[in-house]
Amino acid sequence: MSDNTDPVIVVQSGPVRTLTLNRPECRNALNDLLVDALDSALSAAENDPHTRCIVVAGNGKSFCAGADLQFFLGLHAEHGTPIAFLRRVSALVTRLETSPLPVVAAVHGHAVAGGLELALGCDVVVAAESALIGDGHVKNNLLPAGGSSVRLARKVGDSLARWLSLTGSLVPASRLAEAGWIHEVVPDDRLGEAALAVAGELVSAAGPAQSSFKSLLVDLTTLDSRRGLEKELEDFDAHWKSNDVPADLTAFLERKALSNRNIRPNTGEM
C-alpha cells in the first residue's frame, strides 16, 4: 500500500494493518513528517471497514528512539520551543490509546522516550528479546511530553515507573513483561510473526462489543489523566525555557557524532 520511501510503510495482511515507522537512518526518531504520516495512516486504518486491528512497528535497528533532537533544535531556533510539535505527539499517542481498533506495538531494538510513549499508547505490546526500553528523558535534560508521566506508572507500577523516569535507565523487555505490561517477549526473528498472531487473536474477537469495551476501558483510565497530560506539556515548556536545554542537546549530538566517527575528542589532557 506504500513504498519504502514513505515515512510510514503500510502493509495489509487480511484484517490486520501494519504501520511501520520508516526513518531507519535515525532509529525512527520522531519529526513532523513521521508524526503526520502516522496520524494519517491511523485515520486511514480506522476508516477502512476491512481493517480490524493495527500493528505499529519500526523499520531498521529500533522501534523508535524518541524525538529527533536535531529537529528539536531547529524548532528552538525558529520558535524558541518545540512545544507545538510535542502537542501533536501527545495527541497522536492519545489517538492510539483511544482508537476504536485494538493496537499492537511490535517493539525491537530501542524504545526510548517518545518511542516508549508510543508503545504506552498501544493496547498490547509484543517485544523482541533483545529490546531495551526506558524513558530516557532526564539523561538529555528533558521532561516527557508524550504522556509517560501519566501512563507509565499505570502500565508498569509506581516503583518501576519512578526508577525508569528518574534514572533514564533502559531495561530489557523481560523486566517489563514481569511487571505485567509487555504481553509477550519472543526471539528477535519471531517478532513480526508473533505480533501478527496476537493481532489475529484480537481480530477473532472483533465486533461492536470489543470496540465498546475498549471505549469503556479508555474512559475509566483517562478520566483523571487529561489534566495530567496538559500539565506534562506545560512543565516541559517551562523547563525548556528556564534551563539551557538546547545547549545540552547540542553537546550530546556533538559527542554522538564524534563517537559515530570513532574520533576521540581532544580534551587537552595527556
Side-chain angles (χ1 to χ4, degrees):
M1 297 177 67
S2 58
D3 63 50
N4 59 12
T5 64
D6 293 333
V8 172
I9 298 172
V10 179
V11 175
Q12 192 79 22
S13 303
V16 179
R17 183 168 297 193
T18 299
L19 311 178
T20 301
L21 311 181
N22 189 37
R23 297 189 72 212
E25 71 284 356
C26 57
R27 295 182 182 268
N28 299 314
L30 300 172
N31 65 358
D32 55 348
L33 293 177
L34 182 52
V35 168
D36 287 348
L38 185 55
D39 188 65
S40 296
L42 181 59
S43 293
E46 292 171 346
N47 290 325
D48 176 21
H50 303 294
T51 297
R52 293 288 182 264
C53 185
I54 296 168
V55 174
V56 179
N59 188 22
K61 294 181 178 180
S62 289
F63 176 72
C64 176
D68 186 325
L69 299 183
Q70 291 281 14
F71 180 65
F72 259 29
L73 291 174
L75 292 173
H76 171 74
E78 187 174 355
H79 304 292
T81 173
I83 194 64
F85 167 69
L86 289 169
R87 286 188 181 279
R88 289 158 56 200
V89 174
S90 183
L92 173 62
V93 177
T94 297
R95 281 208 63 198
L96 290 169
E97 185 177 47
T98 59
S99 173
L101 298 176
V103 184
V104 177
V107 174
H108 77 290
H110 291 83
V112 185
L116 167 67
E117 290 169 321
L118 284 178
L120 287 170
C122 297
D123 297 296
V124 182
V125 180
V126 180
E129 286 177 335
S130 64
L132 292 172
I133 302 169
D135 188 88
H137 286 101
V138 297
K139 289 195 171 180
N140 284 321
N141 191 21
L142 289 168
L143 295 187
S148 68
S149 69
V150 173
R151 296 185 178 94
L152 187 57
R154 195 171 73 220
K155 299 281 189 173
V156 307
D158 185 73
S159 178
L160 181 54
R162 286 175 183 265
W163 176 257
L164 294 174
S165 299
L166 300 179
T167 65
S169 298
L170 305 183
V171 298
S174 58
R175 176 87 181 271
L176 297 169
E178 292 167 2
W181 174 44
I182 291 181
H183 175 72
E184 186 177 6
V185 178
V186 299
D188 290 20
D189 61 359
R190 287 195 54 242
L191 179 61
E193 169 193 341
L196 288 176
V198 168
E201 291 188 55
L202 289 163
V203 166
S204 70
Q210 185 188 66
S211 181
S212 295
F213 206 155
K214 177 172 177 178
S215 178
L216 172 62
L217 293 172
V218 168
D219 287 344
L220 292 174
T221 56
T222 61
L223 283 174
D224 296 325
S225 69
R226 293 185 181 94
R227 175 57 190 149
L229 292 171
E230 181 59 32
K231 181 69 163 56
E232 183 184 72
L233 288 161
E234 291 171 359
D235 283 10
F236 176 96
D237 204 30
H239 175 77
W240 180 279
K241 291 174 178 176
S242 61
N243 295 273
D244 200 358
V245 178
D248 288 338
L249 296 184
T250 299
F252 167 76
L253 290 170
E254 289 174 348
R255 291 194 301 272
K256 183 178 178 182
L258 286 170
S259 175
N260 288 342
R261 294 198 301 267
N262 293 318
I263 297 175
R264 181 180 177 183
N266 181 4
T267 64
E269 298 176 352
M270 298 299 290

